[in-house]
Amino acid sequence: MFSPAARGVRGAAAKAAVANAAPPPSVTAVARPAPYATERDFIDALYHPHTVLSGLAMTAVVVLGYLWLHSTDEGTNVKLGGAAAVVCFLFFAATHFPDGIMVRPHPVLWRVVGGIALMYLLLVVFLFFQDLPTIRRILAFYDPELRYQLPERSYAEDCRMSTETDPHKWWSTIMDEFILAHAMGYWAKTLVLRDWRIVTAVSVGFEVLEVTFQHWLPNFKECWWDHIIADVLICNAGGTLLGILTLRLIGAKRYHWVKVSDIPGIAGKAGRLLRQFTPRQLDSYEWGMFTSLKRFSQVMLLLTVMFVQEMNCFIIKYVLWQEPKHHLVIGRLAFWGILALPGLREFYDFITVPTVKRLGTIAWIGAFALFFETLWMLKMVREGNYFRVAFPPHILVPWVASVASFATWIVLYFSMPSTVRRSGVVGFLLNVLFYSVFAWLLAVCVMGNPDTKFLQQEFDTLVRPLCDVLSSGWC
């Protein structure tokens, strides 16, 4: 037991500690503490928590959905129940998830995007534990059209650019519903990456992947002019150019951000509301790919992730019998496109800003969602006994040579001082080694494309003994 004097001393010390403690951060309805963000020059009421209101709205949506859409059909009710559960989770995400790096048009939108990303991660983890027949039954329950295997379309059946009956055959062939999707896809990639060189690397690199895997996916078989003229020059380059112009247009504007309530006139207020859907500020990206081995590896990791995401789209569509126009295919592409906006910005800050020590939430969820999606896809391929045809020698051997040249160049380039690798002879030899990487990939395209097949038989005959000795079914 303490004496009264001792207790008095302790009480005085406690009061002094409380008095000297740092005051709590000021919290107002506008400037909320982390993890929430706000814009002081917009509409204050839109940044209030509204937790009770969001709960009431969630309840109203679920109850009204039950009253209006409830059915006696068991399958319909299962789908409605799943949709209602998704709605509840997204309301929770919109209300309680932390804000990320994006604040326009409103942080709640990016909280919902984070909620969708988390649900997708959980979905692919669940599907990873199911076998392929079970997954097909689940998809057939969701959409009966997905129970039927689809014939794959080849774009290289007749590679003539013109005929007597159709003098503009090449144009009528490429002008399908996918040309706009190609162009808009690379417009979006340019807005996300903000570097035309990396976007061009993605564009050309995926065409090489199409030639590489065309013996597995018939949809990848295209004529040479479809690869070069339609895809690379018209769709991809056109979308990239449009993206560059969009970035310059947004970056050239300088706005004086004022509260909507302080702007006179309806036209002025409407213009401010529309500008809320543009970036508050547009930062340029300096990837600095060749500044160090670490940065080079980080950018190469980014390119690899983009290629894997693109390949997964085609493989999942092929294995699960989905039409290119099916809403699951379109929805997946839209999901990854929207997720790339905050995710890639978080990744960029993580590798370029020294004070950023942790990968952002959206980038973390997106990375592992793609990882488990890829594992799930590989598991389906193995269970369905897909892609058992060996790589042709004219595909495998140039790829091995290209990878070997690339690895050698990386070791030599980043192990030498900059003064040495820029010297005359050494610099020339490094450039020869670097461009030999692309020369081998060009050989893949020239020999492997269905309508060119330049020196394909001669090359296969030359390297066939090597394949027989070194490989066990790869070529």
Side-chain angles (χ1 to χ4, degrees):
M1 296 292 294
F2 291 103
S3 65
R7 288 198 299 269
V9 171
R10 292 188 64 200
K15 291 180 181 179
V18 172
N20 295 329
S26 59
V27 179
T28 66
V30 177
R32 291 177 288 162
Y36 298 105
T38 184
E39 288 188 272
R40 295 179 181 272
D41 50 16
F42 194 47
I43 302 174
D44 294 345
L46 293 180
Y47 295 95
H48 292 183
H50 298 302
T51 53
V52 176
L53 181 61
S54 65
L56 294 176
M58 177 189 69
T59 304
V61 170
V62 173
V63 173
L64 292 177
Y66 173 81
L67 294 176
W68 290 346
L69 302 175
H70 183 260
S71 171
T72 57
D73 180 67
E74 180 181 1
T76 301
N77 289 335
V78 170
K79 296 176 184 178
L80 289 175
V86 169
V87 168
C88 290
F89 183 80
L90 292 183
F91 266 100
F92 172 81
T95 307
H96 295 288
F97 270 25
D99 288 335
I101 198 169
M102 307 285 284
V103 297
R104 290 288 180 90
H106 193 279
V108 70
L109 171 66
W110 303 108
R111 292 180 221 154
V112 172
V113 170
I116 295 174
L118 181 57
M119 286 194 302
Y120 186 75
L121 170 61
L122 299 177
L123 174 64
V124 293
V125 169
F126 168 77
L127 293 176
F128 177 68
F129 283 84
Q130 316 306 316
D131 57 20
L132 183 56
T134 302
I135 293 173
R136 288 209 173 110
R137 286 195 296 269
I138 294 174
L139 291 176
F141 171 77
Y142 171 78
D143 184 356
E145 294 295 328
L146 297 178
R147 69 176 72 241
Y148 306 111
Q149 187 172 3
L150 302 172
E152 277 288 319
R153 177 184 176 184
S154 174
Y155 293 89
E157 296 175 354
D158 185 0
C159 288
R160 292 177 297 174
M161 297 186 68
S162 64
T163 63
E164 293 182 358
T165 58
D166 189 1
H168 304 290
K169 179 181 179 297
W170 71 276
W171 181 252
S172 60
T173 301
I174 67 174
M175 283 301 295
D176 56 14
E177 65 273 10
F178 301 112
I179 189 171
L180 181 61
H182 270 259
M184 296 308 297
Y186 277 85
W187 171 76
K189 286 183 176 71
T190 307
L191 296 184
V192 171
L193 293 169
R194 302 180 193 177
D195 190 317
W196 68 268
R197 293 162 295 188
I198 296 182
V199 177
T200 303
V202 174
S203 170
V204 177
F206 190 74
E207 299 302 318
V208 177
L209 290 179
E210 284 188 330
V211 177
T212 302
F213 295 102
Q214 64 184 354
H215 63 290
W216 286 350
L217 296 169
N219 196 38
F220 280 175
K221 291 183 178 180
E222 298 178 353
C223 304
W224 72 267
W225 44 265
D226 203 344
H227 282 297
I228 298 176
I229 299 177
D231 289 346
V232 174
L233 297 180
I234 295 180
C235 298
N236 302 352
T240 303
L241 179 60
L242 182 62
I244 294 173
L245 295 177
T246 304
L247 290 173
R248 290 182 178 179
L249 177 64
I250 297 175
K253 291 182 178 295
R254 293 292 181 267
Y255 296 121
H256 178 56
W257 301 106
V258 181
K259 277 189 177 183
V260 177
S261 58
D262 296 336
I263 299 177
I266 297 178
K269 295 179 185 295
R272 174 62 181 86
L273 289 173
L274 290 176
R275 289 197 295 272
Q276 188 68 16
F277 292 89
T278 63
R280 185 175 184 88
Q281 66 181 38
L282 187 67
D283 299 328
S284 61
Y285 290 171
E286 298 294 337
W287 292 100
M289 184 174 182
F290 298 100
T291 56
S292 66
L293 178 59
K294 180 180 179 180
R295 180 59 55 82
F296 184 83
S297 303
Q298 291 166 339
V299 177
M300 290 302 300
L301 174 63
L302 172 63
L303 291 174
T304 302
V305 166
M306 297 188 70
F307 287 135
V308 169
Q309 187 279 133
E310 297 269 2
M311 287 297 300
N312 283 0
C313 174
F314 288 91
I315 295 176
I316 291 174
K317 176 176 68 71
Y318 178 79
V319 173
L320 297 182
W321 305 340
Q322 297 174 354
E323 289 275 4
K325 299 180 183 179
H326 196 276
H327 62 271
L328 289 181
V329 178
I330 298 174
R332 180 191 172 279
L333 291 175
F335 161 74
W336 283 113
I338 296 174
L339 195 70
L341 284 169
L344 193 135
R345 178 54 192 261
E346 291 175 351
F347 175 74
Y348 179 80
D349 286 352
F350 179 69
I351 67 174
T352 59
V353 181
T355 56
V356 177
K357 301 299 182 182
R358 55 184 295 177
L359 189 63
T361 303
I362 299 296
W364 189 94
I365 296 176
F368 284 98
L370 183 63
F371 174 76
F372 281 106
E373 180 189 80
T374 305
L375 284 183
W376 168 51
M377 178 266 299
L378 293 175
K379 178 174 174 286
M380 290 192 300
V381 167
R382 182 180 60 83
E383 292 178 353
N385 202 30
Y386 288 100
F387 308 148
R388 299 301 182 184
V389 179
F391 281 95
H394 59 269
I395 298 294
L396 180 63
V397 174
W399 260 108
V400 171
S402 179
V403 172
S405 300
F406 193 46
T408 305
W409 176 84
I410 291 175
V411 172
L412 295 177
Y413 183 85
F414 290 105
S415 62
M416 296 179 180
S418 59
T419 54
V420 175
R421 64 185 182 222
R422 291 176 182 174
S423 61
V425 176
V426 176
F428 174 76
L429 294 177
L430 284 175
N431 286 336
V432 170
L433 186 60
F434 179 75
Y435 288 110
S436 69
V437 175
F438 305 101
W440 283 113
L441 296 181
L442 178 61
V444 170
C445 297
V446 172
M447 291 189 295
N449 212 57
D451 59 332
T452 54
K453 299 182 179 179
F454 181 72
L455 297 178
Q456 182 187 111
Q457 293 183 353
E458 293 81 355
F459 186 86
D460 287 351
T461 303
L462 178 65
V463 301
R464 175 62 67 180
L466 179 64
C467 284
D468 294 339
V469 171
L470 299 180
S471 72
S472 56
W474 278 97
C475 69

